[in-house]
Amino acid sequence: MLTILALASVILLGIVPQQSEAIVIYTGWERHALVGSDIRLSCSFFSWRWTSDDVTFSWSYRADGARDSISVFHYTGGSPYVDNKGPFRDRLEFVGNPGRRDGSILLKNLDYGDNGTFTCDAKNPPDIVGRASSVRLLVFEKVPIQAGVITGAIIGAVLGLLVLVVVIYYLMRFLVARRVFNLSVSKHGKKGKGKEGSQQRQ
Amino acid sequence: MLLLLLGIVILHAAALVLLFVSTIVSAWTTGSTSSSDLWNNCSTISGGYHCDPAYTGEWIQAVQALMILSIIFSFISLFLFFCQLFTLQKGGRFFVTGVFQILASLFVMSGAVIYTVMSPNWVPVSEAYGWAYILAWVAFPLALISGLIYVILRKRE
C-alpha cells in the first residue's frame, strides 16, 4: 500500500511540472532615447527549471513600417553571435549574463532609422514553450516635456497669484485700518488703549 | 426679482457646463479617420483605433491649463455669487463675482485663440474643427455677458 502511494506521488510530481512548464519572458514595454546615445535593452525570463547550459537568447528587430523582422542577435552554446551584416553591425553588443537569465543587449549611437520593435525570445531547454516579448524603441531629437508639466505650472502660477492678491488685499486693509485708527486718536490727543498706548510709549 | 436671479444663475451655470464639456470631450478637431482634442490624438489607421497622449508641444499644455483655469474661475465666481448674495449690503454690486467670471471668459478666449493659431503644428491642416472647439468659442461670450451683468447688477431688497 505504502509503496503504491510512493510510486503514485513520484509519478504525479513527474507529470505536474511538465504541465505548468512555460517560460515567461520579460522585456520593457517602451524605451525612449536621444539621437546618438546608447541604450540597453533588457531581456530576462522566468522558468521553473534550473538554467540549463543550452539556454538560448534571440533578438529580432522590425523597423517601424516594415512588414517582416530580421534577426540581430543570437546566443547559443555559450557564445553570443551579434549582427555583422544588418543595420546594427558594429553597433550591437551583448551585455547580458545568461547564467543569471539576463540576455540584454546594448545598442550604440542610435539614429532615427532605429525606431522600431525589438523582440526577445529565450529558451531554456527543456522549457521551450513560451511567448516572445517585445519592446518598442523611440528615438527623439530632444526629450519631450512630460505631459502636464507646463499645464500644472501655469495653473499653479495663476492660482498662486490669486492667493497672493487676496492676501495682499486683506493685509492692506488691515494695515490701513491700523494707521487710520492711530492717526485719528493722536489727532484728538486722547489716551488710547492697546496699540495707541504702545505707540505713545515709543 | 427672483426670476431675474434665476435667469442669471442659469446663464452662469450654462457657461460653466459648456466649459466643462468643451474641455473634456475629444472633438476639437475631427477628420475622416481621426479625432483629437486637448488630451489625446486618436486615429483609426492601419486597422486599429489607438490614441497617443498629446504630450508633444508646449502650446497644447498651455491651452489645457487655460481651459482648466477658466473652469476653476467660473466655479469660484458661482461660489462668490452665492456668498455675496447673502452678505452684500443693499445697493452693493457683485463686483468680485463679475471680475472672476470675466477672467474666466478671457481664459477661454486665449485658450481658443492659442489653439487656433497653433493647431497646424499637431493636427493635419486638412481636418476640420470639431464641435467641442465651437463650444469653447460659444462659452466665451456667454461667460463675458454673465460677468458684465454681475458687474452692473445692484442688490435690492
Side-chain angles (χ1 to χ4, degrees):
Chain A
M1 183 60 195
L2 267 169
T3 48
I4 296 176
L5 215 61
L7 226 71
S9 58
V10 165
I11 291 172
L12 275 172
L13 280 171
I15 293 177
V16 167
Q18 279 178 5
Q19 283 176 347
S20 69
E21 235 170 51
I23 193 169
V24 183
I25 302 175
Y26 304 107
T27 60
W29 181 253
E30 209 175 71
R31 288 277 178 270
H32 297 199
L34 291 175
V35 177
S37 69
D38 303 342
I39 189 161
R40 179 200 165 109
L41 298 171
S42 66
C43 176
S44 88
F45 66 87
F46 173 77
S47 163
W48 287 102
R49 301 250 173 204
W50 296 113
T51 311
S52 92
D53 293 328
D54 299 326
V55 66
T56 63
F57 286 96
S58 190
W59 280 94
S60 61
Y61 167 70
R62 184 170 60 83
D64 268 349
R67 248 181 332 140
D68 36 357
S69 59
I70 60 170
S71 183
V72 294
F73 174 80
H74 194 66
Y75 176 93
T76 185
S79 331
Y81 300 92
V82 296
D83 175 19
N84 53 5
K85 290 185 179 55
F88 296 105
R89 60 171 168 275
D90 304 328
R91 289 201 290 148
L92 202 82
E93 197 184 307
F94 180 59
V95 293
N97 189 346
R100 289 181 192 269
R101 304 182 169 186
D102 179 13
S104 310
I105 54 172
L106 182 73
L107 284 171
K108 294 186 257 209
N109 199 11
L110 290 169
D111 192 22
Y112 293 113
D114 297 333
N115 270 305
T117 311
F118 287 82
T119 309
C120 176
D121 195 10
K123 300 203 185 304
N124 185 26
D127 205 353
I128 58 161
V129 179
R131 274 180 58 180
S133 171
S134 304
V135 54
R136 191 138 180 259
L137 180 67
L138 294 165
V139 180
F140 292 105
E141 186 179 287
K142 57 179 173 87
V143 182
I145 296 186
Q146 281 218 320
V149 166
I150 295 184
T151 309
I154 292 179
I155 293 178
V158 171
L159 289 180
L161 203 68
L162 184 71
V163 167
L164 196 69
V165 164
V166 167
V167 163
I168 288 181
Y169 170 71
Y170 277 109
L171 200 68
M172 291 304 293
R173 235 171 68 160
F174 173 70
L175 284 177
V176 164
R178 263 185 92 183
R179 268 198 221 125
V180 164
F181 200 28
N182 287 344
L183 274 173
S184 65
V185 166
S186 60
K187 238 197 288 177
H188 294 284
K190 280 191 196 155
K191 260 223 178 110
K193 21 174 173 163
K195 301 170 198 158
E196 293 66 47
S198 65
Q199 197 77 9
Q200 284 171 3
R201 253 181 261 135
Q202 280 170 2
Chain B
M1 182 60 195
L2 201 63
L3 218 60
L4 182 67
L5 206 64
L6 207 65
I8 290 173
V9 170
I10 287 179
L11 181 66
H12 192 143
L16 190 59
V17 164
L18 283 183
L19 284 175
F20 250 120
V21 170
S22 168
T23 307
I24 292 173
V25 164
S26 172
W28 277 60
T29 309
T30 51
S32 52
T33 54
S34 67
S35 73
S36 74
D37 68 348
L38 303 178
W39 314 97
N40 275 324
N41 286 322
C42 298
S43 52
T44 44
I45 48 168
S46 58
Y49 182 78
H50 72 277
C51 291
D52 301 314
Y55 59 82
T56 46
E58 298 80 20
W59 291 107
I60 190 78
Q61 296 195 17
V63 177
Q64 290 172 357
L66 284 171
M67 292 302 294
I68 292 179
L69 277 174
S70 74
I71 292 180
I72 292 177
F73 272 59
S74 198
F75 245 135
I76 294 178
S77 163
L78 194 64
F79 174 69
L80 282 176
F81 173 64
F82 285 114
C83 278
Q84 285 200 305
L85 197 62
F86 297 119
T87 62
L88 210 56
Q89 306 152 342
K90 186 179 169 181
R93 283 192 156 138
F94 294 90
F95 192 62
V96 182
T97 308
V99 162
F100 272 89
Q101 184 74 332
I102 290 177
L103 278 178
S105 79
L106 285 178
F107 283 140
V108 166
M109 187 197 73
S110 4
V113 163
I114 293 180
Y115 187 85
T116 311
V117 167
M118 304 299 294
S119 68
N121 281 3
W122 53 73
V123 282
V125 192
S126 60
E127 306 203 335
Y129 288 113
W131 57 274
Y133 171 76
I134 296 175
L135 276 188
W137 276 113
V138 169
F140 155 59
L142 273 184
L144 193 64
I145 292 172
S146 170
L148 284 173
I149 290 180
Y150 282 128
V151 168
I152 298 173
L153 196 69
R154 281 189 191 281
K155 187 178 179 187
R156 292 188 205 133
E157 66 166 316

